[in-house]
């Protein structure tokens, strides 16, 4: 199976403070990979480096063979990044927002088809023509997930994708993530919700204090720690770290 | 702590941020500086000007009173006037320049050569006329300089001096020539107004017009440009910085930066869109302001036709003014993009507009009060360095055919705009846009934070 994402001894410093201390991992094509860790552990910084938003202090990251530091343009063509608590342009309607984003990936009929796909994924009915600032948090998240998936990225990076959503919205978004992974899209996501990570992810990485302290499938990790849940694994791993 | 003091304390902490306090302090410094500048300009304008008296000999008149015979002349009166105002006798020659010539053309040449702004040309028959009971003629000659609001005050000072000379001569005539009965002549012995006022504009001599009248007419046609530029820059600047603040607050910027689009395209797109809005605002304001100014100045107009004085703009000149305006907007947007990169959210973006507003206000006041040509080297350097000054000065400069100033301003703005765009692109490629200044190594060193 192709390596979709390879991190090799990746470090990130903010001034004199090192936030990420030499993380190395590989994510295979079509995998759903979960990064878990408490607040400030370095998850978002890692996702932002993969997404070309932050410069890497040392080490390398490659996405489908493209180096993030030297070929950011190529990387951006095949990824989609969904930040935590992301919003959309409030004065646009949902449809206009999807059209705006689709304009960066395609033109003409191809663009129209992409927008149609986005609207189908968002499943907002008539509200797709309402202004974004009238949307509930769940509707906004659906629109943004649709935006992220609509261009058919090879790698989708999602930070706290269901954070703050109600049960139904969170369930539906998890279904969408499963569906896109089945279609061959690689997903790298971070979450505080261990139940969600346990259910969704093929493999999990636990980050603590900028270090990758655990890596494996949820089953392997539970077995290694003699735990029933991933939450228990996480607590034990962090306490022993 | 009561509930209300609790709320007041929280609100004050939120409102009085270091950024807002610095902005207020800068504003105070700006207005104090402007006050000082206006004071010195008024002082300079109201001081006795350097004056050239041409054909002084023709003004010497002999009077006889109870104490005996004495002579009176315009220069002796001026010397008494200047010394009584505190000017030391040994410095009088710096203020009063006496030229022995009965040719007015020579007077113009001397003024031009020596850079003297005001002169009194005494008619060769002046003393003969006065003695015979006929009004003597003294021509007031001014060189018009394109200065600001106070630059032409010196011509009114000379006019007042001339009125004092007239009054003094009148008193002496009334005290000695008691056989004269033409009281019109005795009260107004000198003919120094009307066509005897000559102003040199762009090397051309025009009669019956004072520099103040020309300045009034010129400023009625050019003063709206600095105001419009200031309004547009403050408005468009606020739009762009706020838009950057909103993008960060809503995290739409993070999405935008991960899309397959070049950073230069994002920066250029934002700047061009805002520049279009700026030009639309500019045109709307220009139409509104010109209607307002026409109705305001229509009733007060001196009836002076600037075309007759050669103070008009060609189509090419207007094109240069528009280009200058457009470039200044681009420069403003470049600055805004840099400032916006440091805005954490919409609220912090609001305080970021203050430096831009100050930068827009400084040249507006300088251009309006002292003008480019009436300012000292330091103020000229500051004015030139602020890109928004150039469209504010362009119209007046072009009226005086100073194309060099306008073109050098345009060249400077091009360099400035390119530099700000390159800095913005560099910022867009750095972490600062996402992490803010707090995570910057240099800032951490300076603030001692980790």
């Amino acid at each position: 199976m192709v390596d979709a994402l390879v991190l090799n001894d990746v470090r990130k410093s903010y001034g004199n403070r090192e936030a990420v201390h030499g993380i190395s991992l590989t994510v295979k094509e079509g995998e759903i990979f979960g990064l878990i860790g408490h607040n400030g552990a370095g998850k978002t910084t890692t996702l932002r480096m993969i997404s070309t938003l932050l410069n890497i202090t040392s080490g390398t990251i490659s996405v489908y063979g493209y180096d993030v530091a030297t070929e950011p343009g190529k990387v951006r063509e095949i990824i989609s990044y969904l930040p935590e608590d992301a919003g959309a342009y409030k004065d646009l309607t949902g449809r206009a927002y999807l059209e705006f984003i689709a304009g960066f990936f395609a033109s003409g009929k191809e663009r129209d088809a992409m927008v149609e796909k986005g609207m189908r994924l968002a499943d907002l009915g008539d509200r797709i023509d309402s202004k974004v600032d009238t949307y509930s948090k769940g509707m906004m998240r659906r629109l943004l997930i649709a935006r992220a998936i609509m261009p058919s990225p090879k790698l989708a990076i999602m930070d706290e994708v269901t954070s703050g959503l109600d049960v139904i919205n969170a369930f539906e978004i998890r279904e969408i993530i499963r569906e896109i992974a089945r279609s061959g899209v690689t997903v790298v996501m971070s979450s505080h919700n261990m139940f969600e990570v346990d259910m969704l992810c093929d493999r999990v990485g636990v980050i603590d204090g900028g270090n990758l302290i655990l890596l494996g499938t949820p089953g392997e990790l539970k077995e290694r720690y003699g735990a029933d849940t991933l939450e228990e694994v996480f607590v034990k791993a962090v306490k022993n770290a | 702590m009561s509930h209300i003091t609790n709320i007041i304390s929280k609100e004050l902490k939120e409102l009085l941020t270091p950024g807002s306090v610095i902005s207020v302090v800068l504003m105070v410094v700006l207005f104090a500086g402007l006050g000082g500048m206006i004071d010195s300009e008024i002082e300079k304008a109201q001081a006795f000007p350097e004056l050239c008296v041409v054909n002084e000999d023709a003004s010497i008149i002999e009077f006889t009173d109870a104490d005996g015979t004495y002579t009176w002349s315009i220069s002796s009166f001026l010397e008494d006037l200047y010394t009584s105002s505190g000017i030391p006798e040994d410095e009088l020659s710096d203020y009063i320049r006496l030229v022995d010539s009965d040719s007015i053309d020579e007077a113009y040449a001397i003024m031009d050569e020596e850079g003297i702004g005001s002169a009194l040309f005494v008619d060769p028959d002046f003393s003969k006329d006065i003695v015979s009971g006929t009004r003597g003629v003294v021509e007031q000659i001014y060189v018009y300089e394109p200065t600001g609001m106070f630059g032409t005050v010196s011509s009114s000072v000379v006019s007042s001096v001339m009125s004092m000379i007239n009054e003094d001569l009148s008193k002496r005539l009334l005290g000695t020539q008691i056989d004269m009965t033409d009281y019109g002549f005795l009260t107004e012995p000198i003919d120094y107004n009307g066509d005897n006022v000559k102003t040199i504009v762009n090397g051309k001599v025009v009669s019956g017009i004072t520099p103040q009248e020309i300045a009034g007419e010129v400023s009625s046609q050019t003063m709206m440009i600095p105001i419009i530029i200031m309004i547009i820059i403050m408005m468009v600047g606020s739009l762009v910085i706020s838009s950057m603040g909103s993008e960060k607050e809503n995290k739409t910027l993070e999405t935008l930066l991960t899309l397959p689009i070049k950073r230069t395209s994002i920066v250029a797109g934002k700047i061009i869109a805002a520049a279009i809005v700026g030009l639309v605002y500019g045109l709307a304001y220009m139409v509104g302001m010109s209607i307002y100014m026409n109705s305001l100045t229509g009733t007060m107009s001196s009836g002076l036709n600037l075309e007759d004085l050669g103070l008009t703009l060609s189509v090419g000149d207007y094109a240069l003014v528009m280009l200058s305006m457009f470039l200044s907007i681009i420069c403003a947007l470049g600055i805004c993009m840099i400032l916006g990169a440091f805005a954490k959210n919409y609220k912090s973006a609001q305080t970021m507009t203050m430096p831009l507003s100050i930068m827009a206000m400084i040249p507006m006041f300088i251009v309006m009060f002292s003008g480019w040509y009436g300012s000292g080297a330091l103020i000229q350097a500051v004015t030139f360095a602020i890109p928004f000054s150039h469209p504010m000065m362009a119209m007046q400069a072009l009226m005086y055919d100073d194309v060099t100033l306008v073109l050098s301003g345009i060249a400077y703005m091009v360099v400035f705009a390119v530099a700000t765009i390159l800095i913005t692109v560099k910022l867009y490629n750095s972490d600062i846009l996402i992490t803010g200044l707090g995570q910057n190594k240099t800032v951490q060193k300076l603030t001692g934070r980790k």
Side-chain angles (χ1 to χ4, degrees):
Chain A
M1 207 180 279
V2 178
D3 288 342
L5 173 68
V6 180
L7 275 75
N8 184 19
D9 194 24
V10 173
R11 289 172 189 274
K12 177 67 190 174
S13 299
Y14 294 120
N16 298 321
R17 186 174 64 84
E18 194 171 78
V20 174
H21 312 293
I23 290 181
S24 297
L25 59 86
T26 302
V27 178
K28 297 287 179 190
E29 185 172 38
E31 250 190 329
I32 303 181
F33 184 87
L35 267 182
I36 55 175
H38 54 72
N39 292 331
K43 303 185 299 290
T44 300
T45 299
T46 307
L47 295 186
R48 281 174 167 174
M49 284 191 285
I50 299 169
S51 312
T52 74
L53 279 173
L54 290 180
N55 294 313
I56 305 160
T57 306
S58 71
T60 57
I61 300 177
S62 70
V63 178
Y64 283 92
Y66 294 120
D67 188 279
V68 165
T70 57
E71 299 165 290
K74 291 279 183 198
V75 172
R76 285 178 202 132
E77 283 174 16
I78 55 171
I79 64 161
S80 250
Y81 174 58
L82 183 58
E84 184 185 2
D85 295 330
Y89 299 103
K90 290 177 178 171
D91 289 328
L92 297 181
T93 62
R95 185 197 296 267
Y97 178 66
L98 293 176
E99 284 170 349
F100 168 70
I101 298 291
F104 294 112
F105 295 91
S107 57
K109 283 184 180 163
E110 207 183 324
R111 175 177 177 254
D112 295 343
M114 196 180 281
V115 174
E116 279 301 321
K117 180 183 169 188
M119 288 197 295
R120 207 172 46 249
L121 284 163
D123 195 22
L124 293 171
D126 294 346
R127 295 298 307 279
I128 195 73
D129 290 314
S130 300
K131 280 202 172 178
V132 165
D133 66 349
T134 63
Y135 287 5
S136 67
K137 192 164 183 177
M139 290 166 76
M140 176 71 90
R141 211 63 186 161
R142 295 184 76 96
L143 179 74
L144 293 171
I145 294 259
R147 181 280 292 168
I149 296 164
M150 167 184 83
S152 305
K154 292 177 96 172
L155 173 66
I157 304 149
M158 298 176 176
D159 196 358
E160 302 291 348
V161 72
T162 57
S163 161
L165 295 185
D166 60 39
V167 176
I168 303 223
N169 274 308
F171 174 82
E172 286 177 354
I173 282 168
R174 282 196 288 269
E175 282 306 304
I176 294 173
I177 294 171
R178 273 199 193 98
E179 199 181 306
I180 60 164
R182 274 197 294 270
S183 70
V185 176
T186 309
V187 179
V188 174
M189 56 179 279
S190 78
S191 180
H192 285 298
N193 186 340
M194 302 297 156
F195 168 73
E196 178 176 277
V197 175
D198 201 351
M199 280 196 310
L200 266 181
C201 298
D202 301 312
R203 281 195 311 137
V204 178
V206 179
I207 296 186
D208 183 50
N211 294 299
L212 185 70
I213 57 169
L214 272 185
L215 188 65
T217 65
E220 282 168 4
L221 298 180
K222 281 188 270 188
E223 199 180 316
R224 196 187 306 171
Y225 281 85
D228 293 330
T229 62
L230 202 54
E231 191 171 57
E232 213 181 318
V233 172
F234 177 73
V235 172
K236 284 181 178 173
V238 169
K239 280 190 176 170
N240 294 336
Chain B
M1 193 186 279
S2 73
H3 295 172
I4 190 159
T5 45
N6 202 10
I7 289 178
I8 291 170
S9 149
K10 189 272 285 177
E11 289 294 321
L12 286 175
K13 273 180 200 160
E14 275 189 1
L15 295 169
L16 294 174
T17 58
S20 62
V21 172
I22 289 169
S23 300
V24 172
V25 171
L26 280 175
M27 209 52 148
V28 172
V29 171
L30 168 71
F31 280 109
L34 283 172
M37 194 182 87
I38 293 167
D39 261 356
S40 75
E41 285 300 321
I42 293 175
E43 227 169 79
K44 212 164 71 183
Q46 286 178 337
F48 280 115
E50 197 181 337
L51 189 59
C52 176
V53 181
V54 185
N55 202 13
E56 151 65 6
D57 288 350
S59 74
I60 301 168
I61 301 167
E62 206 169 80
F63 285 107
T64 306
D65 61 10
D67 298 328
T69 302
Y70 67 95
T71 57
W72 178 97
S73 71
I74 288 178
S75 65
S76 62
F77 173 82
L78 286 172
E79 280 163 10
D80 289 347
L81 183 69
Y82 276 53
T83 46
S84 65
S85 306
I87 292 164
E89 270 184 49
D90 56 338
E91 287 177 23
L92 275 176
S93 58
D94 296 339
Y95 288 89
I96 306 162
R97 170 99 160 76
L98 301 177
V99 177
D100 186 20
S101 170
D102 56 7
S103 156
I104 198 162
D105 289 333
E106 202 175 325
Y108 296 149
I110 290 166
M111 289 173 83
D112 186 40
E113 250 172 54
E114 301 189 15
I116 298 170
S118 323
L120 299 177
F121 178 76
V122 184
D123 185 80
D125 295 326
F126 180 82
S127 52
K128 224 186 284 174
D129 287 342
I130 297 291
V131 170
S132 65
T134 310
R135 294 179 80 196
V137 174
V138 175
E139 288 180 304
Q140 302 175 57
I141 309 165
Y142 301 108
V143 176
Y144 178 72
E145 292 288 350
T147 51
M149 216 176 260
F150 304 119
T152 53
V153 175
S154 58
S155 68
S156 69
V157 176
V158 173
S159 190
S160 304
V161 166
M162 203 50 235
S163 148
M164 282 186 245
I165 295 171
N166 182 61
E167 202 179 319
D168 187 68
L169 183 59
S170 165
K171 275 182 197 161
R172 287 175 199 280
L173 287 169
L174 285 165
T176 55
Q177 310 293 329
I178 46 168
D179 52 326
M180 285 188 183
T181 51
D182 181 353
Y183 292 106
F185 163 73
L186 288 171
T187 51
E188 286 283 339
I190 308 178
D191 186 2
Y192 61 95
N193 281 319
D195 278 350
N196 292 322
V197 176
K198 292 190 163 47
T199 302
I200 305 168
V201 189
N202 267 354
K204 189 176 168 187
V205 182
V206 285
S207 299
I209 298 165
T210 63
Q212 273 189 312
E213 285 169 335
I214 299 172
E217 197 62 32
V218 168
S219 75
S220 75
Q221 296 193 17
T222 59
M223 76 184 286
M224 72 175 183
I225 296 278
I227 299 170
I228 289 170
I229 297 282
M230 189 198 68
I231 294 172
I232 295 172
I233 283 166
M234 284 163 75
M235 206 173 246
V236 176
S238 165
L239 279 179
V240 170
I241 297 180
S242 303
S243 130
M244 288 289 290
S246 295
E247 288 246 30
K248 283 193 175 183
E249 197 167 293
N250 298 327
K251 297 211 175 169
T252 46
L253 188 64
E254 286 189 35
T255 303
L256 197 59
L257 294 174
T258 55
L259 293 174
I261 173 173
K262 284 182 182 165
R263 300 291 200 254
T264 39
S265 304
I266 298 175
V267 174
K270 279 184 173 286
I271 287 180
I272 292 168
I276 292 168
V277 173
L279 279 182
V280 171
Y281 279 177
L283 285 172
Y285 272 95
M286 223 177 255
V287 170
M289 286 283 280
S290 59
I291 294 169
Y292 168 72
M293 292 303 289
N294 282 345
S295 61
L296 193 73
T297 54
T299 49
M300 303 189 301
S301 176
S302 56
L304 197 63
N305 188 355
L306 292 180
E307 218 170 300
D308 297 341
L309 309 178
L311 299 176
T312 48
L313 297 185
S314 65
V315 178
D317 290 340
Y318 278 111
L320 281 178
V321 173
M322 289 305 287
L323 176 65
S324 187
M325 271 178 84
F326 180 75
L327 284 171
S328 76
I329 293 173
I330 297 284
C331 290
L333 295 172
I335 297 171
C336 291
M337 293 293 283
I338 295 171
L339 292 171
F342 298 104
K344 279 185 256 170
N345 48 37
Y346 186 82
K347 197 179 164 189
S348 77
Q350 297 300 308
T351 53
M352 293 274 186
T353 56
M354 196 57 90
L356 188 84
S357 306
I358 292 171
M359 276 177 83
M361 283 164 82
I362 290 173
M364 188 198 74
F365 283 122
I366 290 175
V367 169
M368 283 176 78
F369 291 133
S370 63
W372 167 261
Y373 299 97
S375 301
L378 181 68
I379 292 181
Q380 279 191 342
V382 172
T383 312
F384 195 91
I386 299 174
F388 321 134
S389 314
H390 298 285
M392 296 182 184
M393 305 186 302
M395 218 164 150
Q396 211 176 52
L398 289 168
M399 275 185 175
Y400 296 97
D401 297 330
D402 192 353
V403 184
T404 315
L405 177 66
V406 179
L407 289 180
S408 51
I410 286 173
Y412 172 72
M413 284 191 287
V414 169
V415 173
F416 192 98
V418 170
T420 53
I421 290 169
L422 289 177
I423 293 169
T424 310
V425 172
K426 199 166 169 51
L427 285 173
Y428 266 64
N429 280 315
S430 75
D431 292 351
I432 284 178
L433 212 58
I434 303 296
T435 59
L437 270 178
Q439 305 285 15
N440 184 274
K441 209 170 182 172
T442 318
V443 174
Q444 284 184 354
K445 264 187 197 166
L446 289 172
T447 56
R449 278 190 291 144
K450 281 192 176 176

